[in-house]
Amino acid sequence: MMKYNFDQIINRSNTASIKHDLKEMIFGTPEILPLWVADMDFETPDFVRKAVVDRALHPIYGYTFRDNAYFESIIHWMQRRHRWQIEKDWILFSPGVVPALNMAVMAFTEPGDAILVQPPVYFPFFSAVNDHNRVLLQNELVCKGSRYEIDFDDFEQKAQQAKLFILCSPHNPLGRSWTRDELQKMADICLRHQVLVLSDEIHNDLVLPPFKHQVFADLSPEVAGITITMHAPSKTFNLAGLATSSVIISNEILRKKMKAVLSRVHIEMGNVFGIEATKAAFNEGDEWLDQLLVYLKNNISAVADLLHHELPSLRVFIPEATYMIWMDFNFTQLSDEALHEMVFKKAGVGLNKGSDFGPGGSGMMRMNVASPLETVMLGAQQLAQTFKTF
Ligand SMILES: Cc1ncc(COP(=O)(O)O)c(C=O)c1O
């Protein structure tokens, strides 16, 4: 029985929501169903809202720090959900995973060092390399039938030149939940060539059963020794606006280096609401998350089924994790510019441009299905209606 209601349509206009309030600016028309930026149109769970409201009722929002209960909530969550045993000292704070990626690039590399990424991938990975004058190496993921896989020969060749590898696990936008075997192979190559790994695991709680998440650092003590893990409650519990995330490092030498950069930019305090929200989410969130995953899986199947029947030429990649669906519009033979124009202006659906995710992204689009079923079905119908003449 579903205790939580994910069907409720909530008006997010005028809440300074990037997804909703900036849609006209981004897509050039107000007539857009926004299924792009990676937050959800579901309520942040009631127990999280209660924690924030309770804190807000105290009339003073002064300087703050993260208490023991905050760390305990993360430690227990990782143990319960991911069988990963971590210690309080390993957990550092960053307002976001993207800032943490950039600070890790500063902490562990020098200008001119090479950094490896696996496109098509979450685009801030590229800026984390390019904005700091590091050299971008790309191990393009390969589409094999219904899913993407890793070209390990190419990975090893590039790893030989790389100082750092930014892993997206699970992978956004391709929705892969990497297997233990795939992760182990990448880890072995990184160990062989002394490549450090930034493992962005922000989507790790959103692995859709029966797939299971394997924490990269938990493959072995050796792998933990070269890994910096990024995690947050923001995607899982829809609280990105509270800007609270973690960098988890067991290797003391690496941790000191990361801490030095974090301290240098003085962003370690965080905010009172993010701290309380994190505790509530991780302490009370199991049942809500389990139900969310069921709902997301159903949305994914419903959208995929509709598109399969109405628009059979469109290739839809069923995600193993995340609430993003990667779609291949190359059957239209449109240029990216013309494709975007049709998706935004004709279909009226605000999807992410595949081309923003780097090589392999041309002709592709990413759809966010973390909205009520009615909304995502409307988006899928509008796409089918517009593209069925091709
Ligand atoms: C792989 C990945 N990392 C990081 C983020 C965002 O992290 P943050 O909002 O904590 O900076 C996203 C959001 O979509 C993401 O997909």
Side-chain angles (χ1 to χ4, degrees), residues 94-106 122-128 131-132 166 198 200 202 230-232 234-235 245-247 258 267:
S94 168
V97 166
V98 172
L101 286 172
N102 283 270
M103 286 183 282
V105 165
M106 292 190 244
Y122 182 55
F123 36 83
F125 284 20
F126 302 119
S127 47
D131 291 355
H132 302 278
I166 311 182
L198 298 187
D200 178 342
I202 195 166
M230 317 271 174
H231 185 253
S234 52
K235 298 281 160 218
S245 71
S246 299
V247 183
M258 185 75 200
I267 50 155

Side-chain angles (χ1 to χ4, degrees), residues 36-240:
W36 62 302
V37 116
D39 69 22
M40 308 195 276
D41 290 326
F42 309 128
E43 288 182 343
T44 304
D46 53 353
F47 46 87
V48 173
R49 298 199 313 274
K50 180 176 183 310
V52 170
V53 169
D54 284 352
R55 180 60 188 85
L57 287 175
H58 189 284
I60 300 177
Y61 311 142
Y63 289 120
T64 190
F65 70 99
R66 283 167 298 284
D67 58 3
N68 238 352
Y70 170 88
F71 292 100
E72 292 287 310
S73 72
I74 300 172
I75 291 167
H76 292 142
W77 179 261
M78 286 301 187
Q79 185 171 7
R80 275 201 320 281
R81 303 293 302 194
H82 302 292
R83 303 160 306 282
W84 189 28
Q85 210 78 43
I86 59 173
E87 292 174 19
K88 178 182 172 186
D89 288 348
W90 301 0
I91 305 170
L92 309 179
F93 170 82
S94 168
V97 166
V98 172
L101 286 172
N102 283 270
M103 286 183 282
V105 165
M106 292 190 244
F108 302 115
T109 64
E110 299 292 331
D113 283 344
I115 301 179
L116 182 57
V117 303
Q118 294 177 307
V121 75
Y122 182 55
F123 36 83
F125 284 20
F126 302 119
S127 47
V129 178
N130 296 328
D131 291 355
H132 302 278
N133 301 316
R134 273 55 166 178
V135 176
L136 184 68
L137 294 176
Q138 306 191 70
N139 168 233
E140 191 174 330
L141 295 167
V142 188
C143 179
K144 293 252 174 81
S146 61
R147 68 173 197 177
Y148 282 78
E149 294 182 7
I150 298 161
D151 175 346
F152 285 102
D153 291 337
D154 180 70
F155 184 86
E156 177 137 31
Q157 194 215 325
K158 292 187 174 141
Q160 287 170 30
Q161 308 154 53
K163 189 88 183 277
L164 197 66
F165 163 44
I166 311 182
L167 169 67
C168 196
S169 179
H171 191 280
N172 172 20
L174 303 181
R176 278 301 316 279
S177 163
W178 301 115
T179 64
R180 191 185 170 97
D181 187 47
E182 287 169 318
L183 294 169
Q184 189 63 58
K185 277 190 183 154
M186 290 191 276
D188 289 342
I189 293 169
C190 290
L191 283 166
R192 218 165 20 248
H193 302 292
Q194 296 174 328
V195 181
L196 293 177
V197 182
L198 298 187
S199 190
D200 178 342
E201 303 191 22
I202 195 166
H203 296 281
N204 70 354
D205 299 318
L206 297 169
V207 171
L208 302 159
F211 293 94
K212 280 208 163 74
H213 181 71
Q214 167 67 49
V215 173
F216 187 78
D218 201 31
L219 284 168
S220 70
E222 293 72 35
V223 178
I226 59 164
T227 305
I228 298 103
T229 305
M230 317 271 174
H231 185 253
S234 52
K235 298 281 160 218
T236 318
F237 295 100
N238 212 22
L239 43 93

